[in-house]
């Protein structure tokens, strides 16, 4: 290598060139360009301040930022159901998002916060001081909150602040033996959490499709699926979509989630698009219970080889034939880009078929081999996986007992 090759000026120039190429290709190939403006809502900072000043038996409450999930679980076990319920009523925004708090208590707390958020948006819908666009946004939020409050929905996390975050559980999370977590990509927020058109490209639709497919694949299996939109994702084309800044912060939250799940169920992560970047960053810190990480439509996992993820979990990858993400440069220079292509043979992932999937958002469509493969991983039915090639290499080293 010459001195010119190693110069800071050349490194910066290469990074800027890579950034320009990424932005142009993403814009041309269909990456969404929606911008989401924050809207008024309950203040998490205010809720956390009230929590910090409260006391139980003259003792401070667990610090949501530093208390391990096991310590939080022990705290609520000591309180008992009645006092825990009263605490959730006083601080629903905190308890509903507190890793280690009992799952059913989190559901209850989030319904309280949802009700309050719904009342707030009801007032804004008819507020003549708002622009027509502002009232339209309020109506959309009102409709989303009302939908999340429908009977039977289990909301594990909910924060309406700004563009919002949420997570929903399908199945009995406390009794599940296998838990699947869907980690979505760009433009994920409260308003895009579920959709009528393009349902299976949104977290709620992905989770429902996977839960149904898992129950069909193994009717007696005790499974649960989490639609996890409890992180801040990039909003369209921009620096955030081409760098790992938001993946870093999201990875912290994902690791905390997997560490705090009840019981000892095995966990599989299903990471789509930018969600796969987040999963790649989280991989070295995931607990042992996470046995599988599957990525689809990935722009990269911020490493050059699967072994560099430093995880004991099996790493799976798929991409359908007409996914535009294939045209995105799989490189990383100066922090721009996300590294090697996970479906490249030299990356070292177990390659799965995505036959039947169409485009970048079609991997969870019912009837596709991509969804069938996800379901097989979710229930541990590894012999039924369809590899990307006819040589069945994706099955190598997996025992039948492990998949039982």
């Amino acid at each position: 290598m010459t001195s010119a090759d190693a110069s800071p000026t050349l490194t910066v120039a290469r990074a800027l060139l890579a950034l320009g190429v990424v932005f142009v290709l993403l814009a041309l190939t269909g990456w969404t360009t929606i911008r989401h403006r924050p809207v008024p809502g309950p203040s998490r900072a205010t809720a956390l301040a009230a929590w910090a000043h409260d006391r139980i038996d003259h003792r401070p409450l667990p610090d949501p930022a530093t208390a391990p999930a096991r310590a939080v679980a022990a705290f609520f076990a000591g309180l008992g159901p009645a006092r825990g319920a009263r605490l959730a009523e006083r601080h629903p925004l905190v308890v509903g998002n507190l890793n280690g708090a009992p799952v059913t208590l989190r559901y209850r707390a989030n319904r309280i916060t949802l009700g309050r958020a719904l009342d707030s948006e009801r007032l804004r819908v008819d507020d003549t001081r708002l622009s027509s666009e502002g009232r339209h946004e309020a109506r959309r939020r009102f409709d989303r909150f009302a939908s999340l409050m429908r009977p039977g929905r289990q909301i594990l996390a909910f924060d309406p602040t700004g563009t919002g975050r949420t997570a929903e559980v399908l199945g009995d999370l406390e009794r599940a033996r296998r838990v699947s977590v869907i980690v979505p990509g760009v433009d994920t927020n409260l308003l895009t959490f579920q959709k009528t058109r393009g349902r299976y490209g949104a977290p709620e639709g992905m989770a429902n499709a996977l839960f149904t497919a898992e129950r069909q694949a193994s009717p007696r299996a005790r499974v649960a699926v989490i639609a996890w939109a409890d992180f801040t994702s990039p909003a369209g084309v921009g620096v955030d979509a081409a760098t790992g800044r938001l993946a870093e912060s999201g990875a912290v939250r994902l690791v905390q989630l997997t560490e705090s799940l009840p019981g000892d169920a095995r966990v599989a992560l299903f990471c789509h698009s930018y969600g796969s970047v987040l999963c790649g960053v989280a991989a070295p810190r995931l607990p042992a219970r996470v046995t599988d990480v599957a990525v689809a439509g990935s722009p990269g996992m911020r490493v050059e080889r699967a072994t560099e993820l430093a995880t004991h979990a099996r790493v799976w990858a798929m991409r359908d034939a007409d996914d535009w993400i294939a045209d995105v440069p799989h490189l990383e220079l100066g922090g721009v880009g996300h590294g090697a292509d996970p479906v490249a043979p030299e990356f070292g992932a177990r390659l799965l078929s995505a036959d039947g999937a169409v485009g970048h958002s079609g991997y969870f469509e019912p009837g596709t081999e991509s969804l069938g493969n996800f379901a097989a991983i979710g229930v541990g039915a590894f012999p039924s996986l369809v590899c990307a090639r006819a040589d069945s290499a994706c099955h190598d080293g997996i025992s039948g007992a492990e998949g039982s």
Side-chain angles (χ1 to χ4, degrees):
M1 178 181 291
T2 66
S3 59
D5 290 334
S7 71
T9 300
L10 185 56
T11 299
V12 171
R14 286 174 172 170
L16 291 174
L17 176 61
L19 179 62
V21 171
V22 169
F23 284 174
V24 170
L25 282 175
L26 292 181
L28 291 176
T29 51
W31 196 300
T32 179
T33 58
I34 297 172
R35 293 293 186 272
H36 299 292
R37 294 193 301 270
V39 297
S43 169
R44 181 165 176 79
T46 301
L48 288 171
W51 174 270
H53 284 92
D54 203 352
R55 295 291 184 272
I56 294 287
D57 297 333
H58 306 291
R59 293 181 293 117
L61 307 180
D63 185 347
T66 61
R70 62 182 179 276
V72 173
F75 168 78
F76 277 95
L79 284 184
R83 289 209 296 174
R86 288 196 294 272
L87 189 63
E89 289 170 0
R90 291 204 304 273
H91 305 284
L93 186 58
V94 175
V95 174
N97 296 280
L98 188 58
N99 289 319
V103 168
T104 53
L105 189 61
R106 290 181 66 172
Y107 297 160
R108 178 174 179 175
N110 285 322
R111 287 193 69 82
I112 296 173
T113 305
L114 272 163
R116 294 176 181 176
L118 191 67
D119 290 341
S120 176
E121 295 304 326
R122 182 182 289 109
L123 296 175
R124 297 181 68 241
V125 166
D126 298 318
D127 190 343
T128 57
R129 294 171 298 178
L130 296 177
S131 66
S132 58
E133 184 180 2
R135 291 194 298 274
H136 176 68
E137 189 82 354
R139 167 56 64 182
R140 294 182 65 199
R141 285 169 63 89
F142 178 88
D143 291 343
R144 173 63 63 248
F145 300 159
S147 176
L148 291 173
M149 285 192 71
R150 288 175 184 164
R153 298 194 73 167
Q154 302 176 134
I155 306 305
L156 184 67
F158 176 73
D159 184 350
T161 306
T163 56
R165 299 195 297 252
T166 193
E168 181 176 11
V169 174
L170 301 176
D172 188 340
L173 187 58
E174 292 180 302
R175 296 180 64 251
R177 300 304 304 149
R178 290 185 176 273
V179 176
S180 299
V181 181
I182 293 172
V183 184
V186 299
D187 283 320
T188 296
N189 56 60
L190 276 173
L191 293 182
T192 61
F193 181 72
Q194 64 188 66
K195 299 178 181 178
T196 301
R197 185 177 180 180
R199 180 187 182 190
Y200 300 111
E204 177 272 343
M206 293 176 177
N208 271 280
L210 182 57
F211 186 57
T212 298
E214 288 185 354
R215 289 188 296 174
Q216 291 172 345
S218 183
R220 292 190 299 274
R222 288 155 52 186
V223 298
V225 176
I226 301 175
W228 189 72
D230 191 24
F231 70 104
T232 301
S233 76
V237 175
V239 173
D240 286 336
T243 64
R245 182 181 69 87
L246 292 180
E248 291 281 354
S249 58
V252 172
R253 300 181 68 83
L254 180 61
V255 171
Q256 291 172 342
L257 169 76
T258 55
E259 289 177 338
S260 67
L261 293 174
D264 57 358
R266 296 181 183 182
V267 178
L269 306 182
F270 298 93
C271 318
H272 176 245
S273 193
Y274 190 85
S276 68
V277 182
L278 192 159
C279 288
V281 174
R285 291 167 278 168
L286 292 171
R289 69 189 308 178
V290 178
T291 58
D292 297 273
V293 177
V295 302
S298 174
M301 301 182 76
R302 302 196 70 78
V303 294
E304 295 302 307
R305 298 286 187 275
T307 54
E308 295 174 19
L309 293 171
T311 178
H312 60 278
R314 290 172 288 259
V315 180
W316 311 83
M318 66 170 69
R319 186 172 65 221
D320 69 59
D322 60 354
D323 187 339
W324 55 261
I325 204 75
D327 297 324
V328 172
H330 286 89
L331 48 80
E332 188 277 325
L333 286 173
V336 178
H338 302 303
D341 186 350
V343 300
E346 59 271 20
F347 185 82
R350 298 172 183 268
L351 302 183
L352 297 168
S353 170
D355 190 44
V358 177
H360 187 59
S361 300
Y363 294 97
F364 290 84
E365 287 281 347
T368 59
E369 281 191 355
S370 51
L371 180 60
N373 277 329
F374 288 158
I377 293 171
V379 301
F382 299 108
S384 65
L385 288 169
V386 180
C387 301
R389 301 187 184 87
D391 58 9
S392 299
C394 71
H395 298 111
D396 290 351
I398 302 177
S399 68
E402 189 172 5
S404 61

